[in-house]
Every structure is written in structure tokens, then in C-alpha cells.
Amino acid sequence: MQRGIIEIENEYEENPVRITLRTLQEIVVKRYPKSQECRSGLWGNADEFTQAIFDCKTFEEVADILMPERKMSVWQRIEEYFLRAGFVMLAVMFLYHVVWRLIQKAWLWIVG
């Protein structure tokens, strides 16, 4: 997590079963990365994380703890906007160039 890389393990059962909230909480606490460094990066300690998971009253609360909403600052939004705008401009310029070349070739073929 220090390098900005998150590995997500997706194991899908062929025959999914319904589980209770308590069972989900136990699975999350058991499977969450065991290292103290990883837990303390987000929580004061492992016990605090465990308590937060078991304090959840719904499945949605557990999901919110595990995958919090990404909040962006105004500066990050501006950077993202300009990055997207830049890619759009490059795409338009490329398509314009390609379409213009095709029109020129078609015109030469028709006239020529």
C-alpha cells in the first residue's frame, strides 16, 4: 500500500451461499492483512479496526469501512479535468488528421 498498489483478491464461489452479518464480520477480520503496519496505517491498532468492523449494524457499513469514498481536493479535480481535456484534444486532433487525409485521398481518387 505504500507504493499506491492495492491487490484485491476475487474468489467467486460456484454456488454462492447467504451469510449473516456476523459471519461476514468474522471473515473480514480474519482475512484482512495481518501485518500491524497495514492496520495501523488506517487505524490506531488492530483492535480498533476489529471493533469498528464488529460495531457495524449493516452490510453497507462494513463495505464503507473497507472501501471508503474517494474524496478529491479542488486541486485534484482541476488536475483531473485538465488531464481529461488534454486527452480529448489529442484524440480530436488525431481524428481530424486521419479524417482529413482520407478526404484528401478520396478527392484525389475521384478527381484524379
Side-chain angles (χ1 to χ4, degrees), residues 16-41:
V17 294
R18 292 188 179 271
I19 60 172
T20 64
L21 177 61
R22 181 68 179 189
T23 305
L24 175 66
Q25 291 166 328
E26 290 170 358
I27 291 170
V28 167
V29 169
K30 179 179 153 190
R31 289 189 180 183
Y32 197 78
K34 305 266 190 256
S35 71
Q36 184 65 27
E37 299 155 349
C38 184
R39 288 185 178 175
S40 65

Side-chain angles (χ1 to χ4, degrees), residues 9-63:
E9 178 182 325
N10 292 320
E11 294 180 14
Y12 299 104
E13 299 288 330
E14 289 184 19
N15 300 316
V17 294
R18 292 188 179 271
I19 60 172
T20 64
L21 177 61
R22 181 68 179 189
T23 305
L24 175 66
Q25 291 166 328
E26 290 170 358
I27 291 170
V28 167
V29 169
K30 179 179 153 190
R31 289 189 180 183
Y32 197 78
K34 305 266 190 256
S35 71
Q36 184 65 27
E37 299 155 349
C38 184
R39 288 185 178 175
S40 65
L42 302 171
W43 304 92
N45 56 40
D47 295 331
E48 188 179 319
F49 170 77
T50 302
Q51 188 61 41
I53 291 294
F54 284 114
D55 284 345
C56 294
K57 303 285 187 252
T58 63
F59 289 95
E60 288 81 12
E61 289 178 14
V62 174

